[in-house]
Structures are given as structure tokens and as C-alpha cells.
Amino acid sequence: MVNDSSTGEEKILTVAKIENGTVIDRIPPGKSLRVFEVLGIDSNYPYVVALAMRVPSVKMKVKDVVKIKGKALTSKEIQTLTFIAPHSTVNIIKNFKVINKTELTIPNKVEEIINCINPNCVTNAHEPVVSSFDIISKEPLVLRCVYCDRLLKGDTLQNQL
Amino acid sequence: MKGDLIQHLFTTRKLSKQDIENLFDLTKKIENNPDYYSEFCKGRILGNLFFEPSTRTRLSFESAMLRLGGKILGFTSSRDSSATKGESIADTIRMVNHYADIAVVRHYMEGVGEIAKQFATIPIISGGTGTQEHPTQALLDLYSLKKEFDKIDGLNIGFLGDLKYGRTIPSLLYSLIKYDNVKINLISPKTLRIRSNVENRLNDAKSDYLVTENLHEVLETLDALYVTRIQKERFLDPIDYERLKNSYKITPDTLQDVKDHFIILHPLPRVDEIHYDVDKLKYSRYFEQAKNGVWVRMALILKLLGVE
Ligand SMILES: [Zn+2]
């Protein structure tokens, strides 16, 4: 797994390449456990998963990497990952080759994955609509509900994911 | 509004200064000659969907539509009434699309405007939604200011009381910041300051506003003071309420050093935040203010129906 290092010590940690599946690379160091959490990776997870933490990286000094064999992430999972581990890359692997590489960048809008904090917001009632937020600041992260106009801070979003 | 692709009115944020001024021009014409407009909505129906009870706003809309020669239908229900239990706002709007030509929705929930945008095929006007906004009340308040001072630009306006839960406050602030050199003074206890999303929008508009707990810090500089009711249930500690209630009460004594042309507005109903003795003073405008509501709502109905 650790392609950008070659010392003997790290080779011990190297995980084999996968034939098909997803590699989440350049995860901010320490965030991979949260990645496990939001993807629902636990003892019952049906796929082969490899995790490497604090791997030396040329660009980031250290990073975490997660490999999932035989699994493609859903768009909802990718949207959620964006907020847990921004700037990570999601690589889709087919026949040992990267066929698609996407950097996770904070979008201008987010839908469905979180609920509005306002109990009186129509998105929390039995209405045929899904939650929708404009991201009005990326650093620090601030969201505004398209429906009730209420502001949500980044940590509120983190707690819900 | 017509031509500006504004089909519904749930927030004053979406109105431009020109939209507001055009509306007020028509309001003025209606006020000067209401008979001329008495058949403009003949054959049209206004649907009143009041998911939360209201007397003032509902009657004002009904009066407006009747004075335009139109008809009204609708319901008023309390939060627990079976009439609305279980039925979504979206479904109610889809139904009224077929029953009326224009509708008013008042609801205790917030975000109803987006639902109207997605499901309504007729123009929908907010009659107040949760603590979010009450745009028609704000427009009539603004019209009252305009009538008094002949302009909105350059005015120095104070807001007193419950600025957090009062739903007219955001609507009024969003319309005022469209004007030039308006100074806004937000006077309230710390716990009842404007919500962060409203302040965020004031900042985005680079508006000139001041936040204070002390009325006397700004009172002498004001052209107008907009007083709102502080409700007891907003306070965890009743002692806090008693103390604050009195510090924001307006009596003739409070007004000793105000400007000569100073006026007091209040959306009504009042409890005891303005003493009855103030009613007699030349500063009080809250009863005249209420009268303007029907004219403004008539103008709004005409604009949204496109039957000017
Ligand atoms: Zn909301």
C-alpha cells in the first residue's frame, strides 16, 4: 500500500494492491477511524478492508489510507466522507488500475445527509422534501438551511455524521 | 414584482428596493381612491390557509380581497385541530391550487416558502411563518415610515424588545437594508438579540447597525422606535422577566428627550410595553399603522395576480 516509501520498516506495513474496489487515500492522519465509523465498517462489514495509519507521504508528511476490496462507495457515502476527511482522494480500482480518482472538496450545497437543527423547520416535519443547505463558509464550516434560513456550524454537522 | 419573477412572498429578502417602491406607489393610489379598485379582483378567490390562528392578519387579508371585489375561502385551525393533523403543507397547497387564484399561508413551522415554491401553481403570500418572517407586516410598517417621513433613506431606526422571536423583525430588517444610509439600532436583553442568521445577513449587506441593551444610549438620536412585545414564556427565570419587562417599558417619562419628529411604531397587540398615556402623545403611530395594512395587502394581491 505504501507506494511512496521504500524503507524496510514500512514494508512491514505494506498492504497488497487490490484488484477491484476503492482506495481512500490522503486521509488526514488520525481521521481513518472516523472514516470507518461513517462507512459503517465494523466487525460485521462484509468486505475485505485494509487500514494503514500515519503512513509517510510526500505531500502530507503523514496520511491514513483505507482500502476496501470489491466495493464502490455510494454518492451519499462520498458526500459524508467529504466532511469527515476533506481533500482525501477516492480511487476506484479495476483490474489493479486506478480508473477514477476524485479529490473530496467541500461543495457549495449539501442535501439529505444531515438534518436541520431547527425543530420547527419543515424539513423535520412530514413533508415531501429533503433537507438542503447552502455552505456559506468553508473555513470555518458554516451551513445555512435553504428552508428555514437557520445557520449550522461545522461541529453540528460532524456530530450528525 | 411582476416581471421580476417573484411569484410568492415569503421573505422580504427577495424584494428589491424598486419592487418595494413600486408596491408603495400602488398602495398610495389605492389609499387615495379605493373605490376605483373595487372590482379589480371580481371573479377571483383568495384562499386563507391559517394553520395557526390569527385575527389581525387574516381579517386584514380578507378585507383587502373583499375591497378588491374578490371572494375568500379558507380555514383557521389550531396546532392540535384534526383539520390539519396529518395533512402536509405540500398537500394542502396542491389542493388550494385548484380552489383559489391566490392564497395566504400562516404556519407555526419555518421554511414554508420553499414548499410553496415547489408545489404551488398560484401565488402564495406568507401570513407569518414560525419565528422566521412576517413580510406583509413588515411592508405595512415600512409603508407607515414612508408616509411619515416621505422617504426611508437616511432614517435612524430603533428596534426594542424581543428581536429573537419576533417574526416581523427579520422581514423589516431585510427590507430596510435595501435602502441607503439607514441606521439600525437593535435594543434588547442579551437573550433576545437577533438570531445569528439574521445578523449574518445584515453583515453581508454591510449595513450600519448597533447592538445594545440600553434604550437611552440611542433614544435621542432616533427618528422612529419599533417596539415589540417581550413574552414571559421566553424567559427561564420569571425574575429576569419582571426586571427586563420594566426596563423596556415606554412611558411619557421615557420620551422626554426624543427628537421633535420622533414616532413610535408597534405591530400590535400591545400588552404593557407602551403605557396607555403614550397613546395621547404626538409620537404614537401604532393605530394608524394598522390601517395601512389593508392598503398594502390590496396592492400586493394586485401585483401578484398581475391585474394592475
Ligand atoms: Zn431548516
Side-chain angles (χ1 to χ4, degrees), chain A residues 116 121 145 148:
Chain A
C116 184
C121 179
C145 177
C148 74

Side-chain angles (χ1 to χ4, degrees), chain A residues 116 118 121 123 133 145 147-150:
Chain A
C116 184
N118 177 4
C121 179
T123 59
F133 301 87
C145 177
Y147 285 81
C148 74
D149 206 58
R150 217 53 77 85

Side-chain angles (χ1 to χ4, degrees), chain A residues 118-130 136 142 144-151, chain B residues 13 79 88-90 94 108-112 114-115 118-119 131-132 174 195-197 200-201:
Chain A
N118 177 4
N120 283 327
C121 179
V122 291
T123 59
N124 290 320
H126 292 290
E127 296 291 337
V129 292
V130 293
I136 59 167
V142 183
R144 180 164 55 214
C145 177
V146 169
Y147 285 81
C148 74
D149 206 58
R150 217 53 77 85
L151 300 182
Chain B
R13 279 193 289 112
R79 195 174 204 153
S88 67
I89 306 165
R94 282 191 277 209
Y108 48 83
M109 300 289 283
E110 297 165 23
V112 182
E114 282 301 309
I115 294 196
Q118 291 172 43
F119 298 98
T131 59
Q132 191 179 11
Y174 298 151
R195 285 190 299 271
S196 56
N197 59 312
N200 180 277
R201 294 205 183 267

Side-chain angles (χ1 to χ4, degrees), chain A residues 65-103:
Chain A
V65 182
V66 171
K67 293 188 178 190
I68 310 168
K69 201 174 160 188
K71 153 96 182 158
L73 298 181
T74 64
S75 62
K76 210 167 166 179
E77 284 171 329
I78 291 174
Q79 208 185 161
T80 307
L81 276 183
T82 305
F83 293 99
I84 295 298
H87 307 299
S88 306
T89 55
V90 172
N91 303 283
I92 299 168
I93 313 292
K94 269 221 168 93
N95 298 323
F96 298 105
K97 283 202 180 94
V98 177
I99 59 154
N100 188 295
K101 184 174 188 147
T102 322
E103 187 183 335

Side-chain angles (χ1 to χ4, degrees), chain B residues 112-165:
Chain B
V112 182
E114 282 301 309
I115 294 196
K117 209 162 103 186
Q118 291 172 43
F119 298 98
T121 55
I122 59 169
I124 312 272
I125 304 170
S126 163
T129 50
T131 59
Q132 191 179 11
E133 281 202 51
H134 192 354
T136 60
Q137 175 68 45
L139 288 170
L140 80 88
D141 296 336
L142 205 62
Y143 183 70
S144 306
L145 284 170
K146 169 111 184 180
K147 257 171 91 172
E148 185 70 29
F149 298 104
D150 212 39
K151 62 175 175 75
I152 310 286
D153 293 328
L155 290 180
N156 191 346
I157 302 168
F159 292 87
L160 182 74
D162 179 357
L163 308 186
K164 186 172 187 180
Y165 300 102

